[in-house]
Amino acid sequence: MLNFLNFSLKFIIIFIAVVVFFIFSTLWYFSIGLPDYKKLSNYQPPISSRVYSEDSKLIAEYALEKRLFIPFESIPEKVINSFLSAEDKNFFSHPGIDARGILRAVINNLKNIAQNKRLEGASTITQQVAKNFLLTNEVSMKRKIKEAILAFRIERAYTKERILELYLNQIYLGQGTYGIAAASLEYFDKSIKDLNYPEAALLAALPKAPSKYNPYRYPDLAKFRRNLVLENLADNNFITENQLTSFKLLDLKLKRRKIEIINEANSYTEEVRRTVKNIYGFEKLYSQGLSISTPLNINYQIQALKSLRKGIEEYDQRRGWRGPIANKIQNKNWENKISKYKLDPTLKWRVVELISVNDQELLFKTIDKIEKKFEGTIYPKNIKWTLRQNKSLSDLYEVGDILFAKKEKNIWKIKQYPKVNGGIVVIDPYKGDVLALVGGFNFKTSEFNRVTQAKRQPGSAFKPIVYAAALENGFAPNTIILDAPFVESQGFGLKNWKPENYGKKFYGPTTFRKGIEYSRNLMTVRIAKILGLDKILKLSKELNIYEDIPELLSVSLGAAETTLLNLTSAYAPFVNGGKKINPKLISRIQDRRGKTIFLDKKRKCVGCDKFIDNEDELPIIESTNKEIISKETAYQMTSILRGTVERGTAKKLKSLKVPLAGKTGTTNDNYDAWFIGFSSNLVIGVYIGYDNPKSLGKNETGSKAALPIFKDFVENALFKEDFKDFNIPKNIYLTLLNYDTGLKSAPGEKNSIIEALKIQDINNINNKNLISILGSDKMIMFRQFY
């Protein structure tokens, strides 16, 4: 008997040793190559980056996953209790794995194996953290063992609160949402602090099978699963039996989250996205939760898009009606033709089919995929632009024709998708803030940005740069320039270059001012020749108009290529006193914790470091931008370009009766049309042209194609009180001159204008270029003749 007991004791000891050895060997084997759990200490969940307008409205969001991070201390008890009841009620008491849960899973899985069903798990929240962060979703014993080992290690390294924080911010809850904060907004449009128990229970019901229990698709299944969680809450004494009874009777109350993103700002935000991605990289933009502030003015942006589209449509209508998209009766592939057009929802166009045609009206029905379907009528008086050469409705339209139509002021009109395109940009000339930017007619069809990416010849819109360089080097607004034929040799074996004025006329001796107001090519070339091309190229480089400039005289007529953004920015010094600006679409970037990682600083505060004893010592904000031209030259150019509005190629703006200045631009054969204009606080640039360059057509100049877009924006986006007179520098002398001769004029004399001259030139009376001193009251006329 004693021997038997000794044998049994030895057997038990050996058995225990073998089991212990087996367990430790297994743990050692599976511990090899396990992921490092310590990286969880620095884990930052990927969250979306957001872009905001100047008034802090959300205008764009960039993310790979819908996720918002929320720290443990901000998570309500209702949410914590619901998830613990649904997923791991012993979470705060177990060491990482739940022995009872494992035993239950083993018994159930023996049945599942016999019935060829999917194995179920007994994972604790800690194990799910190990799986979600460090392992794969593979269903196998090998992964479960690794999961358990990691769970033990995680429990030793981190607090329960940290583990739960990681879990609740990482878990997938359907509808593309990750984490409880994003899911609460997706399903209830609420912050998690505002959730009640039935809502929190629904969220806790989702991790088991987010697609199966999706409340939008399968509300009955979702409600069933929610009620199971509510029962668990009652079993764990988090809610009473009375509450359980009333909660289970409640229907699901869902409310989809609506993010009001300004679709009109797509061109702007895409440029911001490209910039941030190029600087900080894809991962930081899409997963590090950047907060990007921009100077975008939403009202300006919306109106800029409207004005550009209106101008493009008006141009396209002048080119005539090109016919319907297709005919449903005659063309079997009509749906394919429609699918080629990806319309931006902000257009508000409908796809319609004509169901009746006569010379008095067109009856149609909507056939697009927009839910609300209806019929309507289009009358001839509202589509006159399609009825050319005495054509009637029945000549041009047939039953079955498929068209675009839009209701404007309660009137249905036919729309034609334009082939031409363009851009518009609005800039603060003092700070360089890009307040609005539209890169094309329809962003959904083409993301190509014609403000920042399209390089085109600016034509006459470049001339103010030539004239500014001349004013900086001794020319004056009343300098006489010869408008006559000009011939320039281009080298051996090449034809001589013979530029011409628009209209091919010559005007003889003409004042400097008049040359730019009427955009005289021959005067501009002659000024460039006398001045020296090097001075013009130097100024254009300093203003960032061009990168590589050919040293050709034709550059003075805008023959080199640039972007609308660069050229518009180059006009800012005329407004701000001669200082260069760098256009900016981003004001500030902050990381997920609110730390500023980028801040645009172009101004300094003089006196901010002192104590203020009286109002005379208040700090002054000064721009740190470099002065490119003098204040006096800047004002002279402003004065001359105001003359373009008063008398010259931009006189269509005169009817607005507000202080405006600007310059039209048209390239050879009317390939491109430009208008750059400004007030005392805004610079606005407009470009119109084809993406594959070709002529816009006869008479389609900057004045006809581009300027009306500028005018429409000014009329609808600005108020009279937004306009102030341009600042006049101290060293500018205003005097009365004859507009045609540049000579002194008497008050009331016909053809007189107020001219701006530089006072410092009074001291240069002996300059060889000065011809005469007129008057006895120090009114000095500088008249150079070239």
Side-chain angles (χ1 to χ4, degrees):
M1 186 68 180
L2 183 61
N3 291 334
F4 177 76
L5 290 173
N6 288 334
F7 175 78
S8 298
L9 182 61
K10 289 179 180 178
F11 178 79
I12 292 170
I13 292 171
I14 293 170
F15 178 77
I16 292 172
V18 170
V19 170
V20 170
F21 176 76
F22 176 77
I23 291 172
F24 274 97
S25 297
T26 303
L27 292 176
W28 176 81
Y29 174 77
F30 285 105
S31 294
I32 297 173
L34 277 180
D36 184 6
Y37 64 90
K38 293 180 182 178
K39 69 180 183 181
L40 295 178
S41 60
N42 297 319
Y43 172 73
Q44 292 182 329
I47 56 178
S48 59
S49 293
R50 294 180 159 197
V51 185
Y52 298 94
S53 65
E54 64 167 354
D55 55 354
S56 301
K57 289 185 179 178
L58 181 65
I59 56 174
E61 196 170 23
Y62 303 110
L64 299 176
E65 303 171 350
K66 294 179 186 176
R67 188 198 306 274
L68 297 171
F69 180 80
I70 185 164
F72 179 81
E73 56 269 20
S74 299
I75 302 174
E77 284 189 3
K78 290 177 183 177
V79 175
I80 294 173
N81 295 340
S82 296
F83 275 87
L84 293 181
S85 297
E87 295 292 315
D88 189 359
K89 68 177 182 179
N90 298 318
F91 172 72
F92 281 102
S93 59
H94 64 61
I97 61 172
D98 188 350
R100 282 176 292 179
I102 291 174
L103 181 61
R104 182 185 67 252
V106 168
I107 295 170
N108 290 337
N109 281 335
L110 290 173
K111 297 177 182 178
N112 290 338
I113 291 171
Q115 298 174 10
N116 199 27
K117 292 183 178 180
R118 179 181 173 87
L119 299 180
E120 71 174 57
S123 296
T124 63
I125 284 177
T126 312
Q127 286 175 278
Q128 291 185 60
V129 168
K131 180 190 73 173
N132 293 337
F133 286 88
L134 305 172
L135 299 171
T136 67
N137 289 322
E138 174 193 3
V139 180
S140 68
M141 186 60 69
K142 182 180 178 180
R143 196 215 74 199
K144 294 297 291 184
I145 294 172
K146 288 184 176 183
E147 190 179 281
I149 295 170
L150 284 170
F152 278 121
R153 293 180 178 181
I154 290 170
E155 288 275 350
R156 290 200 308 270
Y158 305 104
T159 64
K160 290 285 187 179
E161 289 76 11
R162 173 60 175 166
I163 295 168
L164 194 55
E165 178 186 81
L166 290 170
Y167 171 75
L168 292 176
N169 280 288
Q170 180 71 14
I171 192 72
Y172 180 65
L173 295 169
Q175 291 289 112
T177 62
Y178 290 80
I180 53 174
S184 178
L185 292 170
E186 183 67 26
Y187 294 113
F188 309 112
D189 196 21
K190 287 183 180 181
S191 168
I192 61 167
K193 66 183 177 63
D194 298 322
L195 297 181
N196 55 38
Y197 260 121
E199 292 166 339
L202 178 60
L203 294 185
L206 296 173
K208 192 171 186 68
S211 297
K212 180 179 179 180
Y213 298 117
N214 186 317
Y216 289 122
R217 295 181 181 178
Y218 312 110
D220 293 337
L221 271 177
K223 183 177 180 181
F224 171 77
R225 176 67 182 158
R226 179 205 68 178
N227 289 348
L228 290 179
V229 176
L230 288 171
E231 289 173 3
N232 290 344
L233 281 164
D235 291 342
N236 295 326
N237 297 317
F238 291 126
I239 60 175
T240 66
E241 289 296 326
N242 288 336
Q243 286 178 311
L244 173 63
T245 303
S246 62
F247 289 161
K248 289 176 70 174
L249 294 174
L250 295 175
D251 292 328
L252 301 182
K253 293 183 179 179
L254 304 175
K255 183 182 179 183
R256 286 186 182 272
R257 183 189 182 196
K258 290 184 178 180
I259 303 176
E260 293 186 3
I261 291 178
I262 310 300
N263 287 319
E264 288 89 347
N266 285 336
S267 290
Y268 195 108
T269 54
E270 174 58 16
E271 193 64 26
V272 170
R273 187 197 69 81
R274 277 198 295 262
T275 302
V276 175
K277 177 177 169 289
N278 290 340
I279 297 173
Y280 296 102
F282 180 89
E283 183 182 353
K284 197 157 191 173
L285 173 61
Y286 281 88
S287 64
Q288 294 301 309
L290 300 178
S291 178
I292 304 164
S293 299
T294 73
L296 174 76
N297 182 305
I298 290 176
N299 292 332
Y300 286 179
Q301 180 69 24
I302 292 173
Q303 185 55 52
L305 180 59
K306 288 180 179 177
S307 298
L308 180 67
R309 283 177 173 169
K310 180 182 177 183
I312 288 175
E313 286 184 37
E314 287 177 349
Y315 164 81
D316 191 63
Q317 289 175 8
R318 289 197 295 271
R319 308 309 297 167
W321 173 241
R322 293 188 293 273
I325 303 168
N327 186 282
K328 195 173 180 181
I329 300 170
Q330 300 171 8
N331 194 327
K332 294 180 180 179
N333 296 320
W334 62 272
E335 288 181 314
N336 291 335
K337 289 196 172 185
I338 293 176
S339 66
K340 292 179 182 178
Y341 296 94
K342 298 177 181 178
L343 299 182
D344 193 308
T346 58
L347 277 169
K348 298 180 181 178
W349 289 9
R350 299 298 301 266
V351 181
V352 304
E353 176 191 353
L354 297 185
I355 55 177
S356 176
V357 175
N358 59 59
D359 288 339
Q360 284 71 47
E361 61 185 19
L362 302 175
L363 298 180
F364 68 85
K365 66 177 181 180
T366 57
I367 58 171
D368 47 29
K369 294 181 180 179
I370 300 174
E371 291 182 4
K372 189 176 180 181
K373 307 289 184 182
F374 50 81
E375 296 182 357
T377 306
I378 299 171
Y379 296 102
K381 64 180 181 180
N382 300 321
I383 53 170
K384 288 181 179 178
W385 66 273
T386 70
L387 304 174
R388 299 271 176 95
Q389 299 175 347
N390 297 319
K391 298 282 186 180
S392 65
L393 290 180
S394 55
D395 292 330
L396 295 174
Y397 302 99
E398 299 178 19
V399 172
D401 279 352
I402 297 172
L403 318 165
F404 291 126
K406 182 180 179 181
K407 199 171 190 179
E408 297 177 347
K409 296 180 180 179
N410 218 31
I411 296 171
W412 281 100
K413 296 181 180 180
I414 289 176
K415 294 294 180 179
Q416 177 171 259
Y417 198 89
K419 292 183 176 181
V420 77
N421 224 309
I424 179 172
V425 63
V426 182
I427 302 176
D428 181 321
Y430 296 93
K431 295 186 289 185
D433 290 345
V434 178
L435 304 177
L437 182 153
V438 182
F441 182 83
N442 180 19
F443 181 82
K444 202 166 182 180
T445 295
S446 171
E447 295 184 9
F448 182 67
N449 196 317
R450 292 151 193 89
V451 174
T452 62
Q453 294 177 305
K455 288 193 172 183
R456 299 289 187 269
Q457 293 180 356
S460 297
F462 178 75
K463 287 177 182 175
I465 309 305
V466 177
Y467 281 69
L471 291 172
E472 281 286 275
N473 289 275
F475 284 72
N478 64 330
T479 296
I480 300 297
I481 309 294
L482 186 62
D483 187 334
F486 183 93
V487 180
E488 176 80 0
S489 173
Q490 298 190 91
F492 181 75
L494 298 175
K495 280 187 176 182
N496 290 336
W497 182 54
K498 299 178 181 179
E500 296 176 329
N501 287 327
Y502 186 81
K504 300 183 179 182
K505 293 182 180 180
F506 309 110
Y507 298 91
T510 308
T511 59
F512 182 97
R513 165 186 285 275
K514 205 170 184 180
I516 196 168
E517 287 184 2
Y518 289 94
S519 199
R520 303 277 171 76
N521 289 339
L522 294 170
M523 291 178 66
T524 304
V525 171
R526 191 164 267 107
I527 289 171
K529 183 70 174 178
I530 298 165
L531 179 63
L533 195 59
D534 58 322
K535 293 184 177 66
I536 297 168
L537 299 185
K538 179 176 180 290
L539 180 58
S540 61
K541 282 183 178 179
E542 288 178 333
L543 291 171
N544 289 341
I545 299 175
Y546 298 125
E547 294 174 1
D548 299 314
I549 320 171
E551 295 188 11
L552 299 172
L553 207 54
S554 59
V555 169
S556 65
L557 298 181
E561 294 181 339
T562 187
T563 65
L564 178 61
L565 182 64
N566 287 351
L567 188 62
T568 305
S569 302
Y571 275 59
F574 301 151
V575 188
N576 66 29
K579 291 189 174 183
K580 172 186 176 179
I581 64 161
N582 291 308
K584 66 178 183 188
L585 288 86
I586 300 172
S587 306
R588 180 196 295 263
I589 302 177
Q590 295 170 291
D591 65 16
R592 67 171 72 208
R593 300 192 181 278
K595 180 183 177 182
T596 298
I597 60 175
F598 170 80
L599 179 63
D600 183 80
K601 288 185 177 180
K602 293 297 181 186
R603 294 179 296 170
K604 65 179 180 180
C605 183
V606 179
C608 285
D609 56 342
K610 299 178 182 179
F611 290 103
I612 300 172
D613 294 327
N614 56 66
E615 292 185 2
D616 295 333
E617 297 179 0
L618 289 175
I620 300 172
I621 303 297
E622 289 186 352
S623 171
T624 58
N625 291 331
K626 179 183 176 182
E627 185 174 287
I628 301 296
I629 57 176
S630 68
K631 293 179 181 178
E632 293 75 27
T633 292
Y635 181 75
Q636 285 182 318
M637 283 307 307
T638 296
S639 174
I640 291 170
L641 293 174
R642 284 193 73 176
T644 306
V645 173
E646 291 293 321
R647 298 169 290 272
T649 57
K651 61 186 176 183
K652 291 178 182 177
L653 298 175
K654 189 176 180 180
S655 61
L656 296 178
K657 297 180 180 179
V658 292
L660 289 171
K663 182 70 184 76
T664 55
T666 312
T667 56
N668 287 343
D669 299 319
N670 297 355
Y671 268 49
D672 305 285
W674 303 68
F675 184 76
I676 317 293
F678 54 90
S679 67
S680 60
N681 53 15
L682 291 178
V683 183
I684 304 163
V686 178
Y687 161 77
I688 296 294
Y690 288 96
D691 288 343
N692 294 316
K694 67 176 185 177
S695 176
L696 292 168
K698 187 178 179 181
N699 299 324
E700 292 293 346
T701 62
S703 176
K704 188 172 184 179
L707 183 145
I709 296 171
F710 174 94
K711 184 177 182 181
D712 187 77
F713 175 84
V714 169
E715 281 183 305
N716 292 285
L718 307 179
F719 298 93
K720 286 281 186 181
E721 50 269 29
D722 293 329
F723 294 91
K724 297 178 181 178
D725 285 328
F726 296 96
N727 292 326
I728 304 175
K730 293 179 180 179
N731 292 330
I732 281 291
Y733 193 89
L734 299 178
T735 188
L736 208 59
L737 298 182
N738 183 281
Y739 179 59
D740 294 320
T741 65
L743 297 174
K744 181 184 176 183
S745 178
E749 187 176 315
K750 186 180 178 182
N751 225 14
S752 296
I753 61 167
I754 296 176
E755 190 57 271
L757 300 174
K758 297 176 182 177
I759 283 186
Q760 64 260 37
D761 287 339
I762 295 175
N763 299 319
N764 297 331
I765 295 175
N766 295 323
N767 187 299
K768 62 181 180 180
N769 289 324
L770 301 181
I771 288 184
S772 59
I773 302 174
L774 303 177
S776 58
D777 56 354
K778 293 187 179 181
M779 290 198 294
I780 300 179
M781 303 295 100
F782 306 102
R783 299 187 66 246
Q784 304 162 343
F785 191 94
Y786 298 109

